[in-house]
Amino acid sequence: MTHVCVHWFRKGLRLHDNPALLSALRECKEIYPVFILDPCVHNKDAVGVNRWRFLLGALQDLDGSLRKLNSRLFVVRGKPQDVLPKLFLEWGVSRLTYEYDTEPFSRSRDQKVAERAKEHGVEVVYKISHTLHDVDRIIEENGGKAPLTYVRFQTVLKNLGPPKRPVPAPSVQDMKDVRTPCLDSPGAKEQQYGLPTLDELGHDLSGLQEVLFPGGEEEALRRLEEHMQRPGWVCSFEKPQTSPNSLSPSTTVLSPYVTFGCLSARTFWWRLTDVYQGKKHSAPPVSLHGQLLWREFYYTASVGVPNFHRMLDNPVCTQIDWDTNPEYLAAWTELRREGWIHHLARHAVACFLTRGDLWINWEEGQKVFEELLLDGDWALNAGNWLWLSASAFFLQYFRVYSPVAFGKKTDKQGDYIKKYLPVLKKFPAQYIYEPWKAPLSVQQAAGCIVGKDYPCPIVEHEVISKKNIQRMKASYAKRSQGVPPSPQPNTGVKRKAPSVLDMLKKKTK
Ligand SMILES: Cc1cc2nc3c(=O)[nH]c(=O)nc-3n(C[C@H](O)[C@H](O)[C@H](O)COP(=O)(O)OP(=O)(O)OC[C@H]3O[C@@H](n4cnc5c(N)ncnc54)[C@H](O)[C@@H]3O)c2cc1C
């Protein structure tokens, strides 16, 4: 119990299943829980206001939970490699703990921080808890390459066994010999390390709608339990059978909580296992376990495939001659209101932007999702865009979503459309998916003239989608002549407890 420890929250904004935090508490006499508002990550303009609100809610919740344990959250501003060394000196820190993060940006940041820590004689301890497994182990188990199909992925996972059980949240008992200094000196310290408000961060709050998905661990666990209280629904869950355009979500909407780590994926996994116990239940890829495996699949691919988030120099991505069309892109951009849409609705809009209709590079859509989705996640966003644009993983480019037929299947009356586009509220169901086909008299009666009150279509789907299928065919033909179809194998040597610095260096190479 000799250490003075900083536990650095980045993702993993929770107390439950936080092995790095728990290990800090077990061996320290003083703990400083820190969150760093890093201008490179928490950029006001690159992250939408809804997402900021979610993050601040999650931090407030975390601070509240820490205070119940006689601690608190210290919110610090600046680049981690600059601000942490100052804190090491100011607080006399001897150990830094955090949850391991696989994103390339995070790995290079963590390497810089680990170097600074070494210079200051601070030991770094990290634990893996953002994913179900150690994704590097999955890659090793697959001969040094990321599995590129779900079936292969499942085979590899079988050899690893089930994910580890989540560790419990720290209790007052765990904190009995640990103190957080500065707690009893509010005033200046509070101002220096307090949470900012959206206003202080300079956000325009005028367009903000009511909070549908409040950030934080408490809400995440409440939401999880609410779903787990419906064992019939959980056991029969099949993703393709859920509705993309129901008025209230037909899936869990736990994704923002999992992305920010308010909910641990392992806790989610094991709660599902409990509910499944002794009952007939659906199976991957369509079950809820299967959804968490999709997450793990993309995380693994994002670690094993270089330049995963872009087309250039990404060895699994088909090279396609996308058009540049800012007008179409602007017409497509949406999601501002709630920050979440159903997975199949994401399918439809992603297909429309890329290979289906507008022929715009999936990286543009990825940027918009990253800014506006509450659950915006580097690996999942890139992996799913690669899939939907038929650039990788999914090769049936000739299967295109029709913007008219797709919605009709599950919402004949167009209630979803009417909710989000009240201007079309009075349109008869017959024309709701194609208002431009309604006779002028119908448009007049509905109080909405297409071309004046509502935009005309920007493309003719039937025509453009056929042309685009031919363009995809040409890209695939080129691909089969040249670009390598799978990532180069790493020279996978079994790891033997490397130092943090060695590991981070290896990973950033
Ligand atoms: C183009 C596109 C971009 C996407 N970008 C993101 C993103 O940035 N962040 C994100 O979390 N999801 C992303 N997804 C995946 C998926 O749409 C969301 O995870 C899902 O809709 C979240 O809703 P839910 O929590 O109700 O999911 P549920 O169906 O309840 O699934 C439970 C959990 O499983 C995981 N999951 C479900 N589907 C997927 C999937 N296809 N891929 C990976 N993990 C999945 C999520 O963590 C989710 O919370 C994207 C999908 C598409 C098509």
Side-chain angles (χ1 to χ4, degrees):
M1 305 289 264
T2 52
H3 285 288
V4 174
C5 193
V6 163
H7 178 75
W8 178 16
F9 285 98
R10 303 105 64 86
K11 294 173 185 169
L13 301 179
R14 63 172 182 267
L15 298 190
H16 75 278
D17 195 25
N18 194 333
L21 174 65
L22 217 55
S23 84
L25 293 177
R26 290 209 172 117
E27 291 177 50
C28 72
K29 57 180 183 184
E30 288 180 2
I31 183 136
Y32 293 88
V34 161
F35 182 85
I36 304 176
L37 281 171
D38 175 354
C40 300
V41 182
H42 309 107
N43 180 324
K44 179 182 142 290
D45 299 320
V47 179
V49 63
N50 261 331
R51 184 126 167 246
W52 265 105
R53 179 167 66 176
F54 189 94
L55 171 64
L56 294 184
L59 294 177
Q60 196 162 23
D61 176 72
L62 190 58
D63 184 45
S65 306
L66 287 164
R67 284 177 192 268
K68 286 184 195 145
L69 295 176
N70 300 321
S71 184
R72 62 163 288 181
L73 188 66
F74 295 83
V75 179
V76 185
R77 293 154 179 79
K79 283 191 188 164
Q81 59 269 32
D82 299 336
V83 293
L84 281 169
K86 289 187 192 141
L87 297 180
F88 294 158
L89 289 174
E90 188 182 331
W91 292 339
V93 175
S94 57
R95 182 178 278 187
L96 172 69
T97 58
Y98 54 76
E99 178 185 64
Y100 181 61
D101 193 339
T102 52
E103 288 177 25
F105 166 81
S106 315
R107 291 194 323 239
S108 85
R109 172 200 63 196
D110 292 351
Q111 187 183 333
K112 287 181 202 135
V113 167
E115 279 161 8
R116 293 293 97 75
K118 197 174 175 197
E119 287 159 20
H120 287 76
V122 173
E123 183 193 0
V124 176
V125 175
Y126 67 85
K127 304 276 179 192
I128 291 165
S129 50
H130 189 62
T131 43
L132 296 172
H133 298 271
D134 173 356
V135 293
D136 290 305
R137 274 287 296 123
I138 301 176
I139 292 174
E140 272 176 19
E141 193 64 37
N142 193 45
K145 287 184 287 182
L148 293 180
T149 67
Y150 195 83
V151 172
R152 175 72 205 149
F153 183 72
Q154 281 178 295
T155 309
V156 177
L157 282 202
K158 272 208 183 101
N159 298 335
L160 291 184
K164 279 188 186 157
R165 290 259 175 197
V167 297
S171 61
V172 175
Q173 183 63 19
D174 292 312
M175 292 290 288
K176 110 177 132 40
D177 300 317
V178 185
R179 59 185 280 274
T180 296
C182 304
L183 190 69
D184 32 23
S185 55
K189 289 278 180 222
E190 189 57 53
Q191 272 183 2
Q192 194 179 354
Y193 298 120
L195 262 173
T197 61
L198 284 173
D199 237 356
E200 279 160 25
L201 292 167
H203 285 286
D204 173 11
L205 309 184
S206 57
L208 262 183
Q209 305 282 324
E210 61 171 318
V211 188
L212 290 182
F213 311 113
E217 178 180 17
E218 190 181 334
E219 173 65 12
L221 294 173
R222 189 201 65 74
R223 212 177 164 86
L224 175 70
E225 279 319 306
E226 191 174 75
H227 290 303
M228 297 306 115
Q229 294 313 314
R230 299 190 293 154
W233 180 78
V234 170
C235 291
S236 61
F237 183 98
E238 292 192 359
K239 189 65 163 270
Q241 303 310 322
T242 59
S243 167
N245 44 11
S246 52
L247 291 187
S248 53
S250 59
T251 55
T252 64
V253 195
L254 284 169
S255 52
Y257 301 92
V258 178
T259 291
F260 282 92
C262 304
L263 175 65
S264 135
R266 297 190 299 214
T267 301
F268 193 172
W269 175 274
W270 283 105
R271 276 301 282 124
L272 289 169
T273 309
D274 292 344
V275 174
Y276 290 157
Q277 206 63 44
K279 298 184 196 79
K280 194 169 166 262
H281 60 86
S282 53
V286 294
S287 62
L288 277 168
H289 261 175
Q291 304 313 301
L292 291 174
L293 292 182
W294 278 116
R295 177 176 184 268
E296 199 79 355
F297 170 80
Y298 287 125
Y299 259 88
T300 310
S302 76
V303 170
V305 177
N307 302 308
F308 190 63
H309 65 297
R310 60 181 214 216
M311 181 167 80
L312 193 70
D313 296 329
N314 175 341
V316 302
C317 181
T318 304
Q319 305 297 301
I320 298 171
D321 61 338
W322 302 111
D323 294 339
T324 306
N325 193 325
E327 276 164 43
Y328 278 6
L329 182 60
W332 176 85
T333 305
E334 34 72 58
L335 284 170
R336 294 194 184 274
R337 187 153 147 190
E338 295 176 4
W340 184 89
I341 52 170
H342 186 279
H343 180 61
L344 296 178
R346 297 183 200 201
H347 271 221
V349 296
C351 181
F352 185 82
L353 179 75
T354 57
R355 65 189 169 87
D357 296 73
L358 302 189
W359 201 255
I360 288 177
N361 191 333
W362 57 271
E363 290 171 47
E364 296 297 335
Q366 178 183 231
K367 277 186 230 156
V368 174
F369 272 26
E370 173 66 27
E371 181 196 340
L372 299 177
L373 279 177
L374 290 180
D375 62 26
D377 175 293
W378 184 83
L380 303 190
N381 200 13
N384 278 285
W385 274 101
L386 281 162
W387 179 292
L388 257 300
S389 60
S391 297
F393 308 120
F394 173 79
L395 308 180
Q396 296 170 27
Y397 60 81
F398 42 85
R399 291 178 63 176
V400 172
Y401 286 87
S402 154
V404 174
F406 174 74
K408 270 190 193 167
K409 261 192 238 157
T410 40
D411 181 18
K412 276 207 170 38
Q413 299 304 316
D415 292 336
Y416 185 83
I417 294 182
K418 290 179 181 178
K419 177 178 173 189
Y420 292 99
L421 292 171
V423 65
L424 298 177
K425 218 172 184 163
K426 294 193 182 137
F427 260 81
Q430 184 191 355
Y431 296 112
I432 192 77
Y433 286 94
E434 296 170 285
W436 55 92
K437 287 198 176 160
L440 190 60
S441 58
V442 173
Q443 297 184 29
Q444 276 163 344
C448 171
I449 307 296
V450 176
K452 180 172 156 263
D453 307 310
Y454 183 78
C456 293
I458 52 175
V459 287
E460 210 178 323
H461 174 73
E462 294 310 324
V463 177
I464 200 81
S465 57
K466 288 195 180 77
K467 184 177 156 207
N468 289 348
I469 288 174
Q470 292 312 313
R471 291 178 86 173
M472 284 302 287
K473 198 172 171 184
S475 305
Y476 269 52
K478 273 194 220 148
R479 167 188 157 134
S480 61
Q481 287 158 13
V483 185
S486 61
Q488 298 304 308
N490 297 332
T491 41
V493 181
K494 289 255 180 213
R495 285 172 304 152
K496 272 194 194 135
S499 77
V500 171
L501 266 180
D502 289 346
M503 182 150 167
L504 291 169
K505 272 182 191 147
K506 183 183 133 202
K507 281 165 188 272
T508 33
K509 261 180 204 166

